[in-house]
Amino acid sequence: MSEKNSDQLSEKEQQELLEKYDAESKTRNLTGKLAHVIFLVLIAFSVFQLYTGIFGQLTAYIQRTIHLGFALSLIFLLFPAARGMKKNKIPWYDYILMLLSILVCGYWPVFYDTLVQQFGGISLAQMVVGGLAILLVLEAARRAVGLPITIIAVIFLGYALLGPHIPGMFAHRGLSLEQLIQSMFFTTEGILGTPLQVSSTYIFLFLLFGAFLVQTGVGNYFNDLAISIAGKRVGGPAKVAIFSSALNGTISGSSVANTVTTGSYTIPMMKKLGYRKNFAGAVEAASSTGGQIMPPIMGAAAFLMIEFAGESYWNIAKAAVIPAVLYFAGIWIMTHFEAKRTGLTGLPDEDIPSKRSVAKKIHLLLPIVAIVYFLFIGMSVERAAIYGILATIIVSLFRKDTRITPAKFLVALEQGARTALGVAAATACAGIIVGVVTKTGLGLKLGNSLVSIASTIATTPEIQLMLTLVFTMITSIILGMGSPTTANYIITSTIALPAILALNNQLEVAIPVLAAHMFVFYFGIVADITPPVALAAFAASGISGGEPIRTGANAARLAIAAFIIPYMFVLNPTLLMIDSTIFEIIFALFTAVLGMIAIGAGMIGYWYRNIKWFERILAIVTGLLLIYPEGYSDIIGFVLFAVQLVIQFMSRDKTTRKRKAQAS
C-alpha cells in the first residue's frame, strides 16, 4: 500500500477537528502525576464495570450511582468549563465539583437502607443532595455532550414546576420543588432511570469491547479491507469511504468521530481522484452517519431500544438489517452514477493493498462475528460483550502486530472508560427528560397534539397518517440536532414517538411498536447530516475544504434512503422482517434495491446516460413504487423500471458505447 497521502490529516489535526464539532472530544491535555491519577481512575471505572458484568450487577440504585459518580467526577476533571480555557491544568472549582459528585453519588450506597425504607417526602438534607445531583448532571452534560440536551432538560424541569401556569392542553397539576427533586434522584423515574441503567450495564461493556478492538488495529484493517474490495471499482475512493465507514460504524458510537477518523483518509483520496470537495465530504458524512444504524451495535441505541421498545436484542438487530443495507446501497449507487457521469475511475494498483496482506489480518473480524453469534443463540447482552472482549484478546494473539500487550490492555480499559463518560452524562440528563414526561404525561399530550393538527388539515385517515408521520419526522430531526446517538434516541423516543403510537388509537391503524421506535431513531440520526445543524457534514467539510451547508445538502441527498425507508416500514413492516415470510422478505429486499437504483439515477441525473428532468422525476417515482412493499406498487414499479432500463440502455451516449466496446 502507498505511503500516507500528504493531504491526509495528522492525528493532531484530527483531534482539533473533533474538538470543534464533537463535544465528547473536548478534553484537557493533562501531564505529570495528575494525568497518571486520572488514568488509574479511568481504569478503576472499567474494572468496576467488568467486575459487575462478570459476577453480577449490584442493587439498581447502587450500580447506577457508582457508575454516575465515576462519570461525573471524571468529567469535571477532564472537560473544561468553556472553550478556550487552559487544557493543561484543572481550576480549583472543578476539584470542588468533583468532590460534590463523589459525595452526592456516594449518598445512595452509604444511606441505602434508610432510603429504601423511607416513605413519604424527603428531608432537607436529601433535598440539598438531590438538587445538587440535578445541577451536577446538567453541567456535566453541557460539558461532555453539548448545549442542546442540557437546554431541553432545563426547559422540561421548568415545565414540571410551572404546570398550572401553562395555558391550553399542556397545562398540568405541577410538581413542587420537593416532589421534583425526589422523583429526579430518589426514584428510578429520573436521573437513575432506564437510560442510566442501560449505560451502566450494556452500553459500557460494548464500548469497552470497541476499545479493545481498536487496540488490535482493526480501524486500519477496515480501511485496507475496504480498499482491497472497492478501490479499483469506478469511483473507488468513494466506495472505499462507504465500505470503511459502515465497518467502523459497528464499533463507533459517534457520527462525527467516524467521519473524522475515516474521512481523514478517504476524503483526500476522493478529491485526488476528481470528486468535487462538497461531494467528497458528503459521501463520508452520509456513510459515517449510517454507521449509527448499522447492526450489531447501532451507536449503542440498540441496547436502549431493548428497554424502551420491550423487544429482544435479536429482533431489533434483525429489523435494522434491511433498512441499513438499503441506506448504504443508496449511497453506493449514487456515488457510482456520479463517478460514471463525471468519468472517474478507480485507484491505481500501487494504492491497493495486496490480497495477501489483507488476508493475513482477517482474524480481526472474528470478535465481531463472535458477538453476533453469541447474541443470536440468546446469550445475555452483558455476557455477549464480556465474551466479545475475551475473544478480541485471544484473536489479537494470532499475530505479533495485532497483539494486545499488557500496556495495550490498560490503554483499552482507559479508552473504554473515556468513551463512556459522554454516554453516562447524556443518559443521566436524558433521564431528567424522561422523568418529567412520565410525571406530567407530556409525551401523550405532544402525540395527541400532532395527530390533532394533522386531523384539522386533512379529513381522510390516510392523509392524516402521512401528515402525522411528517410532523414526527420534523420533530425528530430538530430534537436530534447536536445530540450524540444515545441521547438522540432517548429524546426522540420520549417526545416524538408518542405521536405515532397515538395513531394506533385515534386512526385505528396497526403500526408495530418497533417500527415506531425505528422511525424516530432514523430521523434523529439523520439530523447529523441535515442542514443547518449537520455536525457530521460540518466535520467532513473541515477535511475536504468544502462549504458546510452545501456538503450537508449533498449528504442529505446521498442519504435519501434514510428519508424514505422509515415511511415504508411504518406503512408496511415487511422491511423490518416483522410478521413476514422468507419469500416476502427476499422479494421486498430485491424490489427495494431496484427502487434505490431508480431513485439514485433520478437524484444524480445519470443512468446509462445523462437523463432529463422529467426522466429524473419518473425514475424517482418508479423507485418509490418499488421500495413500498406492496403487490400492486411492485408490479407497476417493476414495469416502469424495465421500460426505463431498456430505453436508457438503447439510447446511451455513443461515447459510452464506444468506451465499453474498446474495454471488451
Side-chain angles (χ1 to χ4, degrees), residues 403-461:
R403 191 170 299 156
I404 294 180
T405 61
K408 286 185 176 181
F409 183 89
L410 293 177
V411 170
L413 292 177
E414 184 251 354
Q415 290 297 318
R418 274 183 182 268
T419 308
L421 297 181
V423 176
T427 51
C429 190
I432 293 174
I433 299 168
V434 174
V436 171
V437 169
T438 302
K439 282 290 183 182
T440 62
L442 178 61
L444 184 60
K445 293 174 182 177
L446 282 169
N448 289 335
S449 67
L450 290 180
V451 175
S452 178
I453 293 170
S455 300
T456 58
I457 297 174
T459 54
T460 62

Side-chain angles (χ1 to χ4, degrees), residues 219 222-224 226 239-249 258 262 266:
F222 283 159
N223 286 338
D224 288 347
K239 293 174 180 176
V240 169
I242 298 166
F243 201 93
S244 180
S245 297
L247 290 171
N248 275 298
N258 199 359
T262 309
T266 59

Side-chain angles (χ1 to χ4, degrees), residues 3 21 31 59 92 138 170 188 226 250 259 366 370 461 469 558 598:
E3 293 182 5
Y21 295 110
T31 57
T59 304
W92 61 269
L138 291 173
F170 291 104
T188 54
T250 62
T259 298
L366 291 177
L469 292 176
L558 288 169

Side-chain angles (χ1 to χ4, degrees), residues 285-611:
S287 303
S288 293
T289 299
Q292 305 307 292
I293 61 174
M294 172 63 73
I297 297 177
M298 297 166 62
F303 310 119
L304 287 162
M305 214 174 285
I306 293 172
E307 303 295 334
F308 280 59
E311 291 280 355
S312 69
Y313 171 84
W314 188 248
N315 283 343
I316 293 165
K318 182 181 70 174
V321 168
I322 292 179
V325 168
L326 294 177
Y327 180 92
F328 283 103
I331 303 173
W332 184 286
I333 289 162
M334 280 187 264
T335 55
H336 177 79
F337 285 147
E338 175 70 9
K340 296 286 285 185
R341 186 179 69 83
T342 54
L344 301 179
T345 57
L347 291 170
D349 289 339
E350 59 267 24
D351 287 345
I352 307 293
S354 67
K355 292 181 179 178
R356 190 172 186 178
S357 66
V358 172
K360 283 181 179 179
K361 294 185 179 180
I362 194 74
H363 62 282
L364 294 179
L365 299 179
L366 291 177
I368 298 174
V369 175
I371 281 278
V372 174
Y373 173 74
F374 294 148
L375 293 168
F376 175 73
I377 62 175
M379 188 178 290
S380 71
V381 177
E382 298 101 319
R383 191 63 55 184
I386 295 292
Y387 285 161
I389 293 170
L390 183 61
T392 303
I393 295 170
I394 294 171
V395 163
S396 76
L397 301 176
F398 292 0
R399 284 177 57 86
K400 186 176 180 180
D401 56 343
T402 65
R403 191 170 299 156
I404 294 180
T405 61
K408 286 185 176 181
F409 183 89
L410 293 177
V411 170
L413 292 177
E414 184 251 354
Q415 290 297 318
R418 274 183 182 268
T419 308
L421 297 181
V423 176
T427 51
C429 190
I432 293 174
I433 299 168
V434 174
V436 171
V437 169
T438 302
K439 282 290 183 182
T440 62
L442 178 61
L444 184 60
K445 293 174 182 177
L446 282 169
N448 289 335
S449 67
L450 290 180
V451 175
S452 178
I453 293 170
S455 300
T456 58
I457 297 174
T459 54
T460 62
E462 293 79 9
I463 298 177
Q464 290 175 20
L465 170 62
M466 291 304 297
L467 282 175
T468 303
L469 292 176
V470 170
F471 295 153
T472 306
M473 174 192 74
I474 295 170
T475 304
S476 298
I477 291 174
I478 292 172
L479 291 171
M481 289 179 176
S483 296
T485 304
T486 46
N488 192 325
Y489 168 66
I490 295 168
I491 295 170
T492 53
S493 63
T494 302
I495 300 173
L497 177 71
I500 302 179
L501 299 181
L503 291 171
N504 286 340
N505 297 323
Q506 297 193 23
L507 298 183
E508 296 182 356
V509 294
I511 299 171
V513 172
L514 182 55
H517 279 268
M518 293 290 286
F519 185 91
V520 298
F521 174 58
Y522 259 64
F523 285 116
I525 292 299
V526 298
D528 280 343
I529 52 171
T530 305
V533 187
L535 292 184
F538 284 22
S541 68
I543 302 172
S544 68
E547 300 172 35
I549 296 297
R550 290 186 65 183
T551 300
N554 278 323
R557 180 164 62 110
L558 288 169
I560 189 65
F563 294 89
I564 296 172
I565 301 299
Y567 286 92
M568 300 305 178
F569 62 57
V570 165
L571 297 173
N572 189 327
T574 300
L575 292 176
L576 297 181
M577 297 193 239
I578 296 176
D579 298 330
S580 304
T581 65
I582 293 294
F583 175 78
E584 289 173 334
I585 292 167
I586 293 173
F587 186 74
L589 178 60
F590 172 71
T591 56
V593 170
L594 292 182
M596 287 312 306
I597 293 173
I599 288 174
M603 297 298 291
I604 297 298
Y606 185 92
W607 204 329
Y608 281 99
R609 59 169 172 78
N610 290 319
I611 57 178

Side-chain angles (χ1 to χ4, degrees), residues 38-115:
I38 292 175
F39 181 82
L40 292 174
V41 176
L42 286 163
I43 290 174
F45 191 9
S46 288
V47 169
F48 165 74
Q49 295 291 160
L50 277 173
Y51 177 83
T52 56
I54 295 170
F55 297 105
Q57 307 297 330
L58 304 178
T59 304
Y61 286 111
I62 296 178
Q63 175 80 21
R64 298 174 199 182
T65 48
I66 292 176
H67 176 81
L68 183 62
F70 267 117
L72 292 182
S73 56
L74 284 163
I75 285 171
F76 292 124
L77 291 177
L78 287 170
F79 289 81
R83 187 190 296 270
M85 296 183 68
K86 290 182 179 180
K87 292 191 174 182
N88 59 354
K89 61 181 296 185
I90 301 174
W92 61 269
Y93 52 81
D94 279 345
Y95 285 113
I96 293 176
L97 292 175
M98 176 203 69
L99 291 172
L100 286 174
S101 300
I102 295 171
L103 291 172
V104 164
C105 293
Y107 192 86
W108 259 106
V110 172
F111 296 101
Y112 176 76
D113 290 337
T114 302
L115 290 169

